[in-house]
Amino acid sequence: METIFSNTKDAFSLKTNFELLRAMFLFKIIQNKLLVKIGASLTNFFFKFYIPVTPIIKFTVFNHFCGGVSELDCNSVIKKMFNKNVSSVLDFSTEAFKTEKEFDKCFNKKLSIIEFIKNRSEIPFAVFKPTCLGSIDLFTKVSNADKLNTEEENQWQRVLQRFEGVCQKAHDYDIKILIDAEEVFVQKAIDDLALKMMLKFNKNKAIVYNTVQMYRWDRLDYMNNLLDNNNGIIFGFKLVRGAYMEKEREIAKKSNTKSPICADKAETDLNFNNGLDLVFNNLHKINLVCGSHNENSVLKIMKMMSDNDISNKDDKIWFGQLYGMSDNISFNLAIHGYNVFKILPFGPVRNLVPYLIRRAEENSSVKGQTGRELQLIVNERNRRRLL
Ligand SMILES: Cc1cc2nc3c(=O)[nH]c(=O)nc-3n(C[C@H](O)[C@H](O)[C@H](O)COP(=O)(O)OP(=O)(O)OC[C@H]3O[C@@H](n4cnc5c(N)ncnc54)[C@H](O)[C@@H]3O)c2cc1C
């Protein structure tokens, strides 16, 4: 079906012929589940034994999916995208931190990024992954309402202080901040912290946005409960489908418990749509970020905005896609005046490997999306008469 998203000329206007060729090869490889599995194991092996593969990774997959090693590296791509009215959200890689020292370092890095983006309209949001500010074990214990010993209690207080420090700084500079969602076993603690932050900082407008993973069948109840029990604030919700499906199912299987994930894709899609209905029925107290590469979901929101007389540029509604994916959605939304950003990951190559492997695995398990991505690249190469 032809939609605004079929326009490849504008979608790939920032990509050189070489970059298109590289993207085509990457998505061809990513399409193959076995190759992705072998590639992921090999990459982990190379890094474990300090085999120097960084230049190869940087030249290929890293440069396609990431903005650079430092925030300054990202400036040129931020500028180019903003010329096309696509904003950026800088996401510093923060996987697998374990010590208090690392959490403090990460906290300071998040503060310095907020400093870097203040007064820059091309970077309207900050973002952080909660478990970069405290240990996964601690988040798990708090989520399970386990009793904490004195040391753990102190550590948790520090997590709270870091959370509050990041949100406070964002609030002071009037920058919206996205809190990523993670696995179910840590999410209850994250949700509780996010609510605390929204109650403190979202009195007049949505500054803090919590992420709601609609592949979880319990999330409509979660949102309804929040709305019913908290007054006087503007909720910020980032609606996504969810990135940890296979892991969640495995955990549920191993522990012989019911999977927290919807039974199939159709059920997730329905849940996502119901989530959108809930948001649009409560737009007087919810601001929305839709983090999705699903064209139908984005088209649905565009229609809901038009049905509700909401201007394309209304700051209440933002769309987000990951850098290196679904440019046809981002750049065509921008042409039509909608608010849209790219999540732009950056950091040392080694630190970004888990993120890159996740992108590859996700793309190889969602055949339709990768096929679509590849088809659009081929269409554009055809249009440029490169094939
Ligand atoms: C800006 C942005 C921010 C994001 N932030 C987060 C975040 O904080 N936390 C997070 O977890 N993810 C996050 N994601 C990833 C997101 O959750 C999805 O994994 C990804 O966007 C794919 O979903 P989709 O809506 O784009 O596309 P689609 O291709 O329509 O959906 C694919 C998704 O559907 C679900 N699904 C697929 N098959 C099944 C099945 N058999 N049964 C049930 N469900 C199924 C899975 O969630 C899968 O990822 C983010 C994505 C974006 C673009």
Side-chain angles (χ1 to χ4, degrees):
M1 188 183 67
E2 280 281 313
T3 68
I4 64 161
F5 303 131
S6 313
N7 166 14
T8 59
K9 179 169 182 268
D10 291 302
F12 297 114
S13 60
L14 294 183
K15 295 270 183 252
T16 62
N17 291 346
F18 165 75
E19 284 166 342
L20 269 187
L21 182 68
R22 180 180 63 190
M24 190 173 80
F25 276 119
L26 276 178
F27 280 105
K28 272 193 175 157
I29 293 170
I30 282 172
Q31 236 181 357
N32 186 318
K33 235 180 170 159
L34 185 66
L35 279 183
V36 168
K37 220 174 172 170
I38 294 170
S41 307
L42 274 178
T43 310
N44 285 330
F45 174 84
F46 291 148
F47 273 104
K48 196 168 170 191
F49 293 100
Y50 293 92
I51 297 167
V53 285
T54 304
I56 300 171
I57 294 179
K58 184 148 192 315
F59 189 63
T60 53
V61 67
F62 182 91
N63 281 349
H64 180 79
F65 286 109
C66 306
V69 174
S70 70
E71 46 277 67
L72 286 175
D73 287 349
C74 297
N75 266 339
S76 85
V77 66
I78 292 170
K79 204 168 152 202
K80 276 190 213 157
M81 292 201 293
F82 200 58
N83 277 339
K84 305 278 175 191
N85 290 323
V86 174
S87 301
S88 297
V89 175
L90 282 174
D91 195 2
F92 177 64
S93 64
T94 52
E95 313 264 348
F97 286 173
K98 286 195 178 73
T99 63
E100 288 296 302
K101 210 171 153 189
E102 284 172 326
F103 301 137
D104 278 336
K105 204 170 151 197
C106 185
F107 169 63
N108 288 323
K109 181 75 189 174
K110 294 290 162 189
L111 295 184
S112 77
I113 294 173
I114 296 176
E115 197 66 44
F116 180 78
I117 69 181
K118 81 174 168 192
N119 299 328
R120 291 185 63 172
S121 52
E122 67 272 33
I123 314 177
F125 290 83
V127 62
F128 71 98
K129 186 175 172 179
T131 57
C132 78
L133 299 181
S135 87
I136 291 181
D137 285 350
L138 197 52
F139 272 91
T140 309
K141 280 192 166 173
V142 173
S143 294
N144 292 337
D146 289 346
K147 194 162 168 38
L148 304 183
N149 63 33
T150 314
E151 175 55 20
E152 289 167 337
E153 192 53 62
N154 289 338
Q155 286 174 357
W156 187 246
Q157 285 312 312
R158 286 202 286 278
V159 172
L160 215 150
Q161 282 162 11
R162 292 184 194 114
F163 245 75
E164 198 158 335
V166 173
C167 294
Q168 178 76 55
K169 192 160 179 104
H171 175 264
D172 292 348
Y173 288 153
D174 198 19
I175 294 169
K176 300 186 271 285
I177 183 147
L178 306 168
I179 302 177
D180 279 349
E182 304 191 46
E183 293 91 339
V184 171
F185 58 82
V186 290
Q187 192 58 40
K188 170 80 172 68
I190 297 172
D191 290 339
D192 289 350
L193 285 173
L195 176 59
K196 238 186 180 106
M197 297 305 121
M198 285 201 245
L199 289 170
K200 180 157 185 192
F201 297 113
N202 287 18
K203 294 212 166 83
N204 303 314
K205 62 188 281 194
I207 289 286
V208 178
Y209 286 65
N210 196 26
T211 302
V212 190
Q213 298 157 313
M214 298 312 294
Y215 67 3
R216 287 181 56 171
W217 46 260
D218 64 354
R219 293 292 88 177
L220 275 181
D221 286 347
Y222 160 75
M223 284 198 285
N224 272 317
N225 255 326
L226 277 187
L227 294 181
D228 289 348
N229 294 309
N230 301 281
N231 292 320
I233 60 167
I234 308 288
F235 290 93
F237 288 142
K238 175 175 67 147
L239 246 61
V240 299
R241 282 184 169 77
Y244 305 93
M245 177 179 77
E246 283 167 15
K247 186 170 178 187
E248 297 288 9
R249 288 197 167 139
E250 216 170 284
I251 294 171
K253 199 171 162 196
K254 273 193 187 141
S255 59
N256 214 6
T257 50
K258 182 173 175 188
S259 166
I261 308 298
C262 292
D264 51 32
K265 176 73 162 64
E267 206 176 282
T268 293
D269 289 346
L270 181 64
N271 211 33
F272 192 91
N273 287 345
N274 289 340
L276 291 178
D277 287 338
L278 187 150
V279 167
F280 275 83
N281 288 333
N282 291 279
L283 264 188
H284 55 292
K285 52 178 173 178
I286 301 181
N287 285 5
L288 171 73
V289 168
C290 168
S292 177
H293 300 134
N294 183 310
E295 292 176 19
N296 289 331
S297 296
V298 175
L299 285 169
K300 183 177 163 68
I301 296 174
M302 289 161 62
K303 176 157 188 328
M304 288 168 111
M305 288 172 74
S306 145
D307 290 349
N308 286 279
D309 278 332
I310 298 168
S311 133
N312 296 4
K313 255 282 160 259
D314 194 318
D315 195 47
K316 270 196 192 113
I317 315 253
W318 276 83
F319 297 90
Q321 286 81 42
L322 307 182
Y323 184 68
M325 289 170 69
S326 297
D327 284 350
N328 66 316
I329 298 183
S330 317
F331 287 84
N332 286 310
L333 277 175
I335 284 175
H336 288 82
Y338 292 92
N339 297 311
V340 59
F341 63 73
K342 287 288 204 190
I343 295 270
L344 194 57
F346 74 99
V349 176
R350 170 183 273 272
N351 294 7
L352 272 152
V353 164
Y355 172 85
L356 295 171
I357 292 177
R358 235 189 1 262
R359 290 292 72 80
E361 286 173 347
E362 184 180 272
N363 277 293
S364 70
S365 69
V366 186
K367 277 271 175 297
Q369 173 59 34
T370 317
R372 172 78 170 143
E373 200 83 62
L374 203 50
Q375 188 57 54
L376 290 162
I377 294 166
V378 170
N379 290 354
E380 177 57 11
R381 280 173 51 80
N382 268 327
R383 199 194 63 78
R384 293 187 194 181
R385 301 190 193 289
L386 298 172
L387 286 179

